[in-house]
Amino acid sequence: MDRISMASVDLGSARAKLYRATKQFEGLETFIEELHSDPSGRATLRAELDSDTGYHVIRITSAPDYSQAAEELSLSVGDIVNNLRCSLDHLAWQYACAQAQGIPRKPKSVYFPTCNAAGGEQHKSPGFLAPEVWARLHEYQPCRGVNGRPDSWSGPYVHQLDLLTELSNGDKHQMLVHIELHSNQFETIQTRVDLPPWIARTDSGFEFLPERVNDPDPGADHLDFSHSSHLVEIGAEVARIRAPYWAGHVTIEQVGTATPMFALPEGRPVVDTLKRLSVFVETVIEDLQQACP
């Protein structure tokens, strides 16, 4: 049987899996950028006045068939999260071999562990890792939360390891990752008659007047997203807008376009979410190798 010491821990395969996920992520970003830059890939919008409120309700009237793009994105997300998860499992395998001084006694039971112990519950340590290794890995477990690490995530909080495990297991054992299309990004025709008080027209263009940013702006438009489904579907409401420039127009055809934002379940943006997971995996690998070389 091959023997292995702590000094011979080789994280090359863990890094290779992470690198592979990184390259796949770059390809996914390029794919999404190309979709967003194609005008034919945008949904069209129509506005209809709600006389009771004075707001125009903007709805989607037509949209391209995004099914093929969504499937391609789903497959790409699955490849990325599986490689990220494999990266952590390869990490655990190397340290398990170091602890066993060879092949672990139960090799099929070796994987990157997850601890979700709540307050008062026992934190069970995996027997295949050295105590000092698990102590370091435990700092990155869901039971520890953010634990002082920088995490700029602004959506509903979910620990990176929990989300990575959920996405990877679902893709491997159940079905493709569900991709939603959100209408968060849209543009319309002109909405106001004049400029706000803090913008002045000059002979050469426009000038910003910072001293007037708090002045009343009677010509401002007002947006209301409280009724929006945030989905790119025919008939779905995108927003409501009170636009001075639209006054007197009951219906405005072709009022604008919406560019779909691709999201994971619970509305998590695909790109930002995968980037967050990738940073987490890289941080764990780098930290553990420095602490337990």
Side-chain angles (χ1 to χ4, degrees):
M1 181 180 294
D2 294 335
R3 307 297 290 179
I4 186 169
S5 66
M6 285 293 285
S8 65
V9 169
D10 181 7
L11 300 184
S13 64
R15 293 183 183 279
K17 286 290 187 180
L18 174 60
Y19 177 76
R20 181 64 174 172
T22 301
K23 299 305 291 183
Q24 291 169 326
F25 175 72
E26 292 174 357
L28 179 142
E29 276 192 301
T30 300
F31 181 71
I32 292 178
E33 288 172 359
E34 290 175 350
L35 289 174
H36 284 174
S37 63
D38 183 4
S40 65
R42 300 171 187 168
T44 59
L45 305 176
R46 177 177 184 268
E48 187 169 345
L49 178 65
D50 179 358
S51 57
D52 291 336
T53 63
Y55 280 78
H56 279 82
V57 180
I58 301 174
R59 298 185 185 276
I60 294 175
T61 55
S62 68
D65 182 2
Y66 298 112
S67 58
Q68 185 174 351
E71 182 176 282
E72 182 65 30
L73 284 172
S74 181
L75 290 168
S76 297
V77 170
D79 290 341
I80 293 168
V81 297
N82 289 330
N83 275 320
L84 290 176
R85 177 69 217 192
C86 284
S87 179
L88 293 179
D89 287 338
H90 283 216
L91 174 84
W93 174 256
Q94 284 296 317
Y95 281 99
C97 289
Q99 170 68 357
Q101 292 294 296
I103 303 300
R105 187 168 59 89
K106 296 181 178 180
K108 292 184 178 180
S109 299
V110 176
Y111 57 91
F112 191 88
T114 301
C115 180
N116 275 298
E121 295 180 349
Q122 182 178 1
H123 298 260
K124 296 182 180 179
S125 60
F128 52 78
L129 294 176
E132 64 271 21
V133 173
W134 172 241
R136 198 69 180 186
L137 286 182
H138 197 232
E139 298 301 307
Y140 292 92
Q141 294 296 314
C143 64
R144 301 283 287 160
V146 177
N147 198 19
R149 299 188 311 276
D151 186 358
S152 59
W153 184 251
S154 58
Y157 179 77
V158 60
H159 192 275
Q160 294 97 320
L161 185 54
D162 278 337
L163 182 56
L164 178 58
T165 301
E166 176 186 342
L167 291 172
S168 178
N169 287 346
D171 180 80
K172 287 189 296 184
H173 305 299
Q174 297 171 353
M175 59 184 296
L176 296 179
V177 177
H178 177 62
I179 300 293
E180 298 178 350
L181 286 84
H182 288 206
S183 58
N184 301 46
Q185 301 175 355
F186 70 95
E187 55 187 27
T188 68
I189 61 174
Q190 181 180 344
T191 59
R192 59 181 300 151
V193 178
D194 53 6
L195 297 172
W198 50 89
I199 300 293
R201 194 183 302 274
T202 66
D203 294 338
S204 58
F206 299 94
E207 180 184 0
F208 175 58
L209 307 175
E211 69 277 6
R212 300 196 60 186
V213 293
N214 294 318
D215 286 5
D217 183 12
D221 51 17
H222 297 274
L223 284 166
D224 177 8
F225 296 99
S226 62
H227 303 276
S228 174
S229 67
H230 300 291
L231 297 178
V232 178
E233 297 175 344
I234 305 300
E237 180 175 325
V238 174
R240 299 187 179 196
I241 183 169
R242 181 181 290 164
Y245 194 68
W246 299 0
H249 296 277
V250 176
T251 302
I252 307 176
E253 303 287 353
Q254 300 291 327
V255 75
T257 60
T259 302
M261 183 195 77
F262 299 95
L264 300 171
E266 299 183 342
R268 303 178 188 279
V270 168
V271 171
D272 291 345
T273 300
L274 294 179
K275 186 177 296 183
R276 179 175 180 246
L277 296 180
S278 180
V279 168
F280 173 77
V281 171
E282 182 177 13
T283 301
V284 171
I285 293 175
E286 296 298 332
D287 185 56
L288 190 59
Q289 186 162 55
Q290 290 182 15
C292 306

